[in-house]
Amino acid sequence: QVQLVESGGGLVQAGGSLRLSCAASGTIFSINTMGWYRRAPGKQRELVAIMTNGGNTNYAEFVKDRFTISRDNAKNTVYLQMSSLKPEDTAVYYCNFYDAHLRYNYWGLGTQVTVSS
Protein backbone atom coordinates (compact mmCIF):
# COMPACT_ATOMS: atom_id res chain seq x y z
CA GLN A 1 0.00 0.00 0.00
CA VAL A 2 1.08 3.55 -0.75
CA GLN A 3 -0.34 6.62 0.92
CA LEU A 4 -0.18 10.04 -0.72
CA VAL A 5 -0.42 13.35 1.10
CA GLU A 6 -0.85 16.47 -1.01
CA SER A 7 -0.36 20.08 -0.03
CA GLY A 8 0.00 23.50 -1.59
CA GLY A 9 -3.32 24.23 -3.25
CA GLY A 10 -5.22 27.45 -2.75
CA LEU A 11 -6.57 30.62 -4.30
CA VAL A 12 -4.39 32.74 -6.54
CA GLN A 13 -4.92 35.52 -9.04
CA ALA A 14 -4.36 34.98 -12.73
CA GLY A 15 -0.70 35.25 -13.55
CA GLY A 16 0.31 34.05 -10.11
CA SER A 17 2.14 30.95 -8.97
CA LEU A 18 1.57 27.99 -6.70
CA ARG A 19 3.63 24.98 -5.73
CA LEU A 20 2.03 21.63 -5.05
CA SER A 21 3.72 18.88 -3.10
CA CYS A 22 2.88 15.22 -2.70
CA ALA A 23 4.65 12.87 -0.34
CA ALA A 24 4.36 9.11 -0.74
CA SER A 25 4.78 6.64 2.07
CA GLY A 26 4.32 2.92 2.55
CA THR A 27 5.62 0.08 0.41
CA ILE A 28 7.44 1.80 -2.41
CA PHE A 29 9.28 -0.09 -5.09
CA SER A 30 12.08 1.62 -6.91
CA ILE A 31 10.48 1.71 -10.36
CA ASN A 32 7.57 4.10 -10.29
CA THR A 33 6.06 7.22 -11.74
CA MET A 34 4.73 10.12 -9.74
CA GLY A 35 2.78 13.02 -11.03
CA TRP A 36 -0.31 15.14 -11.19
CA TYR A 37 -3.71 14.97 -12.81
CA ARG A 38 -6.54 17.41 -12.53
CA ARG A 39 -10.31 17.52 -12.81
CA ALA A 40 -12.05 20.77 -13.60
CA PRO A 41 -15.78 21.21 -12.88
CA GLY A 42 -17.81 19.34 -15.45
CA LYS A 43 -14.77 17.78 -17.10
CA GLN A 44 -12.95 14.48 -16.97
CA ARG A 45 -9.72 13.98 -15.11
CA GLU A 46 -6.71 14.78 -17.28
CA LEU A 47 -2.98 14.39 -17.06
CA VAL A 48 -0.99 17.46 -16.07
CA ALA A 49 2.55 16.15 -15.67
CA ILE A 50 4.28 12.96 -14.60
CA MET A 51 7.85 12.02 -13.85
CA THR A 52 9.54 8.64 -13.56
CA ASN A 53 11.99 7.86 -10.81
CA GLY A 54 14.62 8.01 -13.54
CA GLY A 55 13.76 11.59 -14.39
CA ASN A 56 11.75 11.22 -17.58
CA THR A 57 8.84 13.61 -17.81
CA ASN A 58 5.59 13.94 -19.70
CA TYR A 59 3.63 17.17 -19.74
CA ALA A 60 0.21 18.01 -21.05
CA GLU A 61 0.47 20.44 -23.92
CA PHE A 62 -1.57 23.07 -22.11
CA VAL A 63 0.94 23.40 -19.26
CA LYS A 64 4.22 23.33 -21.14
CA ASP A 65 6.45 26.31 -20.36
CA ARG A 66 4.23 27.21 -17.39
CA PHE A 67 4.41 24.21 -15.05
CA THR A 68 7.47 22.29 -13.94
CA ILE A 69 7.44 18.89 -12.28
CA SER A 70 10.25 17.69 -10.08
CA ARG A 71 10.78 15.01 -7.48
CA ASP A 72 13.01 14.07 -4.61
CA ASN A 73 13.42 10.32 -4.75
CA ALA A 74 15.03 10.18 -1.33
CA LYS A 75 11.88 11.73 0.14
CA ASN A 76 9.45 10.03 -2.26
CA THR A 77 8.02 13.45 -2.94
CA VAL A 78 6.89 15.05 -6.16
CA TYR A 79 6.40 18.76 -6.74
CA LEU A 80 4.52 20.79 -9.29
CA GLN A 81 5.61 24.39 -9.69
CA MET A 82 2.80 26.24 -11.44
CA SER A 83 3.42 29.68 -12.92
CA SER A 84 1.46 32.05 -15.14
CA LEU A 85 -1.73 30.49 -13.84
CA LYS A 86 -4.93 31.02 -15.78
CA PRO A 87 -8.56 30.79 -14.66
CA GLU A 88 -8.89 27.65 -16.78
CA ASP A 89 -6.30 25.98 -14.55
CA THR A 90 -8.91 25.96 -11.79
CA ALA A 91 -9.43 22.34 -10.80
CA VAL A 92 -8.86 19.74 -8.16
CA TYR A 93 -5.31 18.48 -8.59
CA TYR A 94 -4.67 14.85 -7.75
CA CYS A 95 -1.35 13.28 -6.96
CA ASN A 96 -0.73 9.97 -8.69
CA PHE A 97 1.73 7.22 -7.89
CA TYR A 98 2.10 4.40 -10.40
CA ASP A 99 3.78 1.31 -9.08
CA ALA A 100 5.40 -0.33 -12.09
CA HIS A 101 6.09 -3.52 -10.13
CA LEU A 102 2.43 -4.05 -9.20
CA ARG A 103 1.08 -2.15 -12.21
CA TYR A 104 -1.20 -0.26 -9.87
CA ASN A 105 -2.21 3.38 -9.53
CA TYR A 106 -2.56 5.12 -6.20
CA TRP A 107 -4.34 8.46 -5.87
CA GLY A 108 -4.27 11.27 -3.39
CA LEU A 109 -7.43 12.91 -2.12
CA GLY A 110 -6.85 15.99 -4.22
CA THR A 111 -6.09 19.62 -3.53
CA GLN A 112 -8.15 22.52 -4.86
CA VAL A 113 -6.49 25.14 -7.03
CA THR A 114 -8.58 28.17 -7.83
CA VAL A 115 -7.35 30.90 -10.16
CA SER A 116 -9.34 34.13 -10.14
CA SER A 117 -9.47 36.46 -13.11
Side-chain angles (χ1 to χ4, degrees):
Q1 283 281 10
V2 174
Q3 295 77 42
L4 302 173
V5 178
E6 301 140 325
S7 61
L11 173 64
V12 65
Q13 288 189 331
S17 299
L18 281 175
R19 188 192 194 209
L20 305 182
S21 300
C22 173
S25 62
T27 304
I28 297 173
F29 291 97
S30 60
I31 301 176
N32 57 72
T33 299
M34 294 186 73
W36 298 91
Y37 290 70
R38 72 185 188 186
R39 177 177 285 158
K43 295 187 177 181
Q44 291 188 334
R45 185 168 58 192
E46 59 185 355
L47 178 143
V48 177
I50 56 174
M51 189 173 191
T52 68
N53 58 294
N56 294 318
T57 60
N58 185 25
Y59 288 92
E61 195 65 33
F62 55 78
V63 302
K64 284 183 178 179
D65 299 325
R66 297 191 300 125
F67 293 7
T68 301
I69 190 169
S70 61
R71 59 185 287 175
D72 184 334
N73 288 334
K75 296 181 180 179
N76 294 315
T77 300
V78 65
Y79 307 94
L80 185 69
Q81 178 65 49
M82 304 185 292
S83 303
S84 302
L85 283 161
K86 306 174 182 180
E88 51 263 44
D89 293 318
T90 295
V92 178
Y93 284 70
Y94 295 92
C95 180
N96 172 265
F97 180 98
Y98 176 69
D99 185 325
H101 177 76
L102 298 176
R103 299 182 183 180
Y104 189 80
N105 278 296
Y106 296 91
W107 295 95
L109 296 178
T111 185
Q112 177 71 46
V113 171
T114 302
V115 184
S116 63
S117 57

